[in-house]
Amino acid sequence: MTSRRSLPVPEGLDGLRLDAAISRLFGLSRTAAADLVSAGAASLDGVVSAKSERVTAGAVLDVDLPEPDRAPLPPAQVVEGLRVVAEDDDILVVDKPVGVAAHPSPGWTGPTVIGGLAAAGHRVSTSGAEERQGIVHRLDVGTSGLMVVAKSERAYTVLKDAFRERTVDKRYHTLVQGRPDPLTGTVDAPIDRHPTSAYKFAVVAGGRDSVTHYETLEAFRHATLLEVHLETGRTHQIRVHMAALKHPCVGDVTYGADPTLARRLQLERQWLHAVRLSFAHPADGRRVSFDSPYAPDLQRALDRVRESSWT
């Protein structure tokens, strides 16, 4: 069984070989794309062309795609508070609550985004390992906010490339202890696994390139609200870089935060929320942006900071 798909060539693919353009647009391997062209199952502006033909922006690619084998969905599990912000044929944008992992992993038996989407009847891409199908990036279990999940195979490939090429704009807000100096700055420090703790990460010489930009939104006596922009997406990156500045995220006792402040604010996790996500839509390249309000526990803690004389 096959299905006909037609898409215009976006500006970013102008000049690519036909097989490479098909690979990128439809989420196929380069070999599979070349095989489709050789079999006459693909055309450029209605003309069956050689796989080495160069495409131009705006030209229409028509491809007869084989129906993918449907891999089994991961175990469905209703996830309270998991909210779908936007959905179309290619993507799902979700607002993830705290206490939820992106996908199943060894040692984690709690709720997951993938399990919650399955329980709600949402289809996701079959690309990637079975336990993380459709997942192109992650948020920590203790971090709330926006994630994008691929529904189509094309979206999976395009979004993975976008995150790898750092064209996705990820914005976070975090409440940190103290007041950073300078109030606006950049942390450019490599991150790798912690030398002595299996579950932590740290700034380590020779680690992976990691860059975090931050800007002060509100400054209080003992805490500061920051907007953070990530160039890279390392595990625990914001938490590690804020700790390296000696201004850990409020409530993040794993990375050195004072538990007394968290208790005063009645906060049981790190104050960190993915507030904005912007990227080129995998179907046509148009820029799309999504925003998320603070999770209720974070908003309550921030309100207490604003109202309390000791902060």
Side-chain angles (χ1 to χ4, degrees), residues 215-255:
E215 176 182 355
T216 293
L217 298 177
E218 293 184 72
F220 309 98
R221 184 178 177 187
H222 295 303
T224 305
L225 181 65
L226 303 179
E227 178 167 291
V228 178
H229 170 215
L230 296 183
E231 279 194 26
T232 52
R234 310 304 176 210
T235 303
H236 296 184
Q237 179 173 323
I238 295 173
R239 300 167 64 191
V240 170
H241 275 173
M242 293 301 104
L245 289 179
K246 308 302 181 185
H247 298 286
C249 302
V250 170
D252 192 2
V253 293
T254 299
Y255 286 101

Side-chain angles (χ1 to χ4, degrees), residues 133-206:
Q133 288 176 0
I135 296 294
V136 293
H137 72 125
R138 295 177 292 179
L139 294 177
D140 296 345
V141 171
T143 300
S144 51
L146 294 171
M147 287 179 57
V148 58
V149 179
K151 286 183 63 178
S152 69
E153 313 315 309
R154 168 185 61 190
Y156 184 88
T157 299
V158 173
L159 288 172
K160 288 289 282 188
D161 286 345
F163 277 99
R164 188 179 303 113
E165 295 165 5
R166 305 180 184 179
T167 62
V168 178
D169 187 4
K170 299 170 288 183
R171 304 280 171 153
Y172 298 76
H173 286 184
T174 181
L175 187 69
V176 300
Q177 290 185 191
R179 185 172 298 185
D181 184 14
L183 290 174
T184 296
T186 296
V187 184
D188 186 348
I191 291 176
D192 210 334
R193 289 199 172 274
H194 195 282
T196 60
S197 176
Y199 299 102
K200 292 173 61 176
F201 290 78
V203 171
V204 177

Side-chain angles (χ1 to χ4, degrees), residues 4-11 13-14 16-19 21-22 25-26 37 41-50 53-64 154 283-284:
R4 169 60 62 113
R5 296 294 299 275
S6 299
L7 286 175
V9 176
E11 292 286 345
L13 301 187
D14 185 70
L16 282 185
R17 285 169 50 113
L18 178 58
D19 55 354
I22 290 173
L25 269 180
F26 296 97
V37 177
S43 62
L44 184 63
D45 277 341
V47 179
V48 176
S49 306
E53 182 81 15
R54 299 287 172 172
V55 302
T56 56
V60 177
L61 282 174
D62 293 300
V63 181
D64 292 322
R154 168 185 61 190
D284 54 18

Side-chain angles (χ1 to χ4, degrees), residues 64-86:
D64 292 322
L65 293 174
E67 294 290 347
D69 294 331
R70 298 301 299 171
L73 287 170
Q77 183 179 14
V78 174
V79 176
E80 184 177 354
L82 181 66
R83 183 170 66 93
V84 175
V85 176

Side-chain angles (χ1 to χ4, degrees), residues 80-99:
E80 184 177 354
L82 181 66
R83 183 170 66 93
V84 175
V85 176
E87 180 179 11
D88 58 30
D89 289 342
D90 291 283
I91 62 170
L92 275 159
V93 178
V94 300
D95 203 342
K96 185 188 83 67
V98 66

